[in-house]
Amino acid sequence: MSTIFSKIINKEILANIVYEDDLVLAFKDITPQAPIHIIIIPKVTDLKTLNDINEKHITVLGHIVFVAIKIAKSEGISENGYRIVMNCNADGGQSIFHIHLHLLGGREMNWPPG
């Protein structure tokens, strides 16, 4: 099943891309929840939710976190802090069923998040 994220990966939909390599694509969220809000998605299509992760995904998931840290540094938010969020299924706040990570920063984060 095609999602908006797979369409962004395939360049069928434009996005404000901030990072891309063979494994992942990162772009600015169109409805940001913080001054810096970047979505990082794997280019694999068999990961709809966190529940779909198995051993073959370890490399790409580690790479997603590595890329988030790299982007946080390039966006100037690594020193003051940032938040990485992954939602799972509807009750967990997931609305697009292609696993993804939210990198949020540029302001103080509150706890609990909601």
Side-chain angles (χ1 to χ4, degrees):
M1 182 172 151
S2 183
T3 67
I4 190 168
F5 290 170
S6 60
K7 290 178 181 178
I8 291 171
I9 291 167
N10 293 326
K11 309 292 193 257
E12 297 168 20
I13 295 176
L14 293 178
N16 189 346
I17 296 171
V18 297
Y19 181 89
E20 183 174 13
D21 63 25
D22 292 344
L23 297 176
V24 302
L25 182 74
F27 53 92
K28 293 185 179 182
D29 194 299
I30 61 169
T31 56
Q33 303 302 305
I36 306 292
H37 187 168
I38 295 170
I39 305 295
I40 305 169
I41 58 175
K43 290 184 174 180
V44 297
T45 58
D46 63 336
L47 286 171
K48 293 179 180 33
T49 77
L50 289 169
N51 294 332
D52 296 318
I53 295 171
N54 62 49
E55 287 182 5
K56 75 177 185 179
H57 301 112
I58 291 171
T59 299
V60 72
L61 292 172
H63 189 64
I64 288 172
V65 174
F66 174 76
V67 167
I69 294 165
K70 190 174 182 176
I71 294 170
K73 288 178 184 174
S74 72
E75 292 287 331
I77 59 173
S78 63
E79 291 298 318
N80 288 336
Y82 54 93
R83 181 171 287 164
I84 291 175
V85 177
M86 292 182 89
N87 302 317
C88 185
N89 285 325
D91 283 355
Q94 185 176 6
S95 59
I96 298 173
F97 290 89
H98 181 126
I99 198 170
H100 57 285
L101 179 151
H102 297 260
L103 170 64
L104 301 150
R107 68 169 170 83
E108 186 176 343
M109 298 290 142
N110 298 315
W111 197 262

